Amino acid sequence: MNERVEILGVKVDAVTMAQAVERVTNLIAAGKPSIVATANAEMLLRATHDDELKTILNAANLVVPDGAGTVWAAHHLGKFMPERVAGFDLVQELMKIAPAHDFKFFLFGSAPGIADKAKSKAEMLYPGIKIVGTRNGYFTADDEPEIISQIKNSRTDVLLAALGVPKQEKWLFAHMNELKIPVSIGVGGTFDVMAGVVKRAPLWMQKARLEWLFRAMLQPSRAGRLLALPKFVLKVHKQKKALGCKL
């Protein structure tokens, strides 16, 4: 088992991308319902005032450091965190090896038509991949029995849910035992990027840890969410002080 670093009350796995892929592969092989979470700074900050989300994240089988902020926080607290494991990239790595392992995927979430476009892109990028179902993320409580039935009947190995944080984590956790899917992952805007609806930051911006800035420039409506970053930094500083670390 890899080390887990507690950041604002949430235990995040100190894993590389290769280790994360191996862990997910092992979870699929085990066949028991499990949840993988992709923890960025915004999610970790939300968990400080959302006890349900914090409980779910700490019960997850794997919590990857999705975002430069999460990696920074671990280092600031004097802990080892080898690299950022972005949720989008984790999904691509899993899809890349899927044909060789016969892994099956179900894409659930985003606006109508987006999951279908993401499916087409995956089939183009990863020949032989099995996407056994799609369903958009617009539904009411009355639709849930049908959705659960559709996902169960697909006999998928990996359920990717793009419902946004914290809805996707809470939905997956609530229905985990009923769905009986080996691995469920909340993937946020992954389908939008795969479908070409939202652009991803250039590689140089990703490496410079400026992907958050690119998203803000591309989607001004997200600018308000950037206010979470200084709040996150402040709370991590407070955690460091509480642990008696030197500033």
Side-chain angles (χ1 to χ4, degrees):
M1 290 289 289
N2 300 94
E3 181 185 353
R4 305 193 92 186
V5 178
E6 186 172 320
I7 303 172
L8 304 185
V10 174
K11 294 179 177 66
V12 181
D13 289 275
V15 290
T16 63
M17 177 63 77
Q19 289 169 333
V21 170
E22 183 181 8
R23 287 278 293 278
V24 175
T25 300
N26 290 339
L27 288 171
I28 294 171
K32 297 177 181 178
S34 62
I35 288 181
V36 174
T38 58
N40 60 17
E42 191 177 350
M43 182 188 286
L44 293 172
L45 183 65
R46 181 183 285 270
T48 63
H49 55 81
D50 186 334
D51 289 339
E52 183 185 359
L53 177 61
K54 181 187 289 186
T55 298
I56 291 168
L57 293 177
N58 284 325
N61 301 77
L62 176 66
V63 180
V64 299
D66 179 0
T70 306
V71 176
W72 167 83
H75 293 170
H76 190 65
L77 294 167
K79 301 296 184 179
F80 174 71
M81 186 66 72
E83 65 184 25
R84 173 190 178 210
V85 179
F88 177 87
D89 295 328
L90 177 59
V91 169
Q92 305 313 304
E93 292 298 318
L94 291 171
M95 287 184 166
K96 191 183 298 181
I97 67 168
H101 293 267
D102 201 32
F103 294 158
K104 300 183 290 293
F105 293 81
F106 191 106
L107 311 187
F108 171 39
S110 293
I114 298 298
D116 293 321
K117 288 182 180 179
K119 175 179 182 287
S120 297
K121 185 64 177 287
E123 289 169 343
M124 182 184 75
L125 290 174
Y126 313 111
I129 193 170
K130 293 180 179 177
I131 311 286
V132 293
T134 63
R135 174 62 164 80
N136 70 63
Y138 286 59
F139 62 92
T140 65
D142 291 338
D143 300 318
E144 289 191 354
E146 181 190 344
I147 294 170
I148 291 167
S149 178
Q150 183 186 358
I151 295 170
K152 282 179 69 175
N153 291 337
S154 74
R155 302 184 69 81
T156 188
D157 298 301
V158 181
L159 170 59
L160 303 178
L163 303 174
V165 178
K167 183 178 180 179
Q168 60 196 21
E169 287 75 24
K170 292 182 179 182
W171 195 91
L172 291 173
F173 189 75
H175 301 292
M176 178 174 66
N177 293 322
E178 188 178 2
L179 287 166
K180 293 183 171 61
I181 304 302
V183 173
S184 296
I185 313 175
V187 295
T190 292
F191 300 166
D192 293 318
V193 177
M194 290 184 70
V197 176
V198 174
K199 288 184 179 179
R200 199 173 183 205
L203 191 58
W204 72 267
M205 289 191 84
Q206 294 179 42
K207 289 182 176 178
R209 300 180 177 181
L210 293 172
E211 197 164 8
W212 59 272
L213 180 60
F214 180 83
R215 289 199 299 268
M217 292 189 299
L218 210 62
Q219 299 172 279
S221 61
R222 292 179 60 99
R225 294 168 67 178
L226 295 183
L227 295 175
L229 293 174
K231 290 179 183 177
F232 176 74
V233 170
L234 185 61
K235 281 188 177 289
V236 173
H237 273 306
K238 287 182 177 178
Q239 180 182 343
K240 185 174 182 178
K241 279 186 179 181
L243 290 172
C245 298
K246 293 181 181 179
L247 291 174

